[in-house]
Amino acid sequence: MKTVDLSADGQMIEIKSPVKRNPFGECYGVMSVKLTRIEDVPYPSELIYREVYLNSAQNEFPAPYTIKVEYSDYKKLKRSPLCIPQSIEIMTYVVTPSLNDSDNPVFSQKFNYKETVKISEISEDAGVI
């Protein structure tokens, strides 16, 4: 895991998986998490997963993302210092790799699915929490 961007209002971190082999060569997964500060506490605002392919010269070719999750409209709880997102949007895509004439991977991305979760009520009852 490494921080790839750091600013006063947030940061972006990346988590890389080990390299694996597939029919198009070697690749590894990358999960990018964008954190936004709310009252000086970092909360996720975006999560993206993609694969990065390597050619025979070990050059990297990032594929379009296959999963994107957006968290928004954070609301502070009354009895807790925590904030909870009021909207979570999940989108998935089908990414198809192929090899071009130079033996480098190229990609197509097709929308697959979208779901939005809206939080309308949050229980702060001690028995539930």
Side-chain angles (χ1 to χ4, degrees):
M1 182 172 79
K2 71 176 183 175
T3 299
V4 293
D5 185 32
L6 185 61
S7 66
D9 61 340
Q11 69 185 62
M12 176 76 80
I13 59 173
E14 283 186 350
I15 303 164
K16 293 183 180 181
S17 73
V19 174
K20 62 183 179 182
R21 189 122 182 95
N22 68 27
F24 299 98
E26 294 181 328
C27 70
Y28 59 89
V30 176
M31 183 181 311
S32 301
V33 181
K34 182 178 180 183
L35 301 171
T36 302
R37 293 191 186 284
I38 301 172
E39 296 186 10
D40 212 32
V41 177
Y43 288 95
S45 56
E46 184 178 81
L47 179 143
I48 293 175
Y49 177 81
R50 68 170 31 102
E51 290 185 327
V52 176
Y53 287 76
L54 305 170
N55 67 4
S56 58
Q58 297 297 296
N59 295 325
E60 295 183 338
F61 294 85
Y65 50 80
T66 56
I67 299 170
K68 183 175 183 180
V69 182
E70 294 178 342
Y71 304 89
S72 60
D73 302 327
Y74 276 88
K75 179 180 177 186
K76 186 171 165 77
L77 298 178
K78 293 175 187 166
R79 297 183 188 172
S80 167
L82 297 175
C83 295
I84 303 293
Q86 301 300 292
S87 179
I88 304 168
E89 188 170 81
I90 302 131
M91 295 160 278
T92 64
Y93 298 83
V94 175
V95 173
T96 306
S98 61
L99 296 175
N100 66 13
D101 293 339
S102 302
D103 233 16
N104 294 331
V106 292
F107 310 98
S108 65
Q109 180 188 46
K110 181 181 172 190
F111 175 77
N112 182 47
Y113 180 76
K114 178 179 177 179
E115 184 164 343
T116 302
V117 176
K118 296 285 187 185
I119 310 297
S120 59
E121 186 177 338
I122 299 171
S123 175
E124 295 191 59
D125 180 358
V128 173
I129 298 173

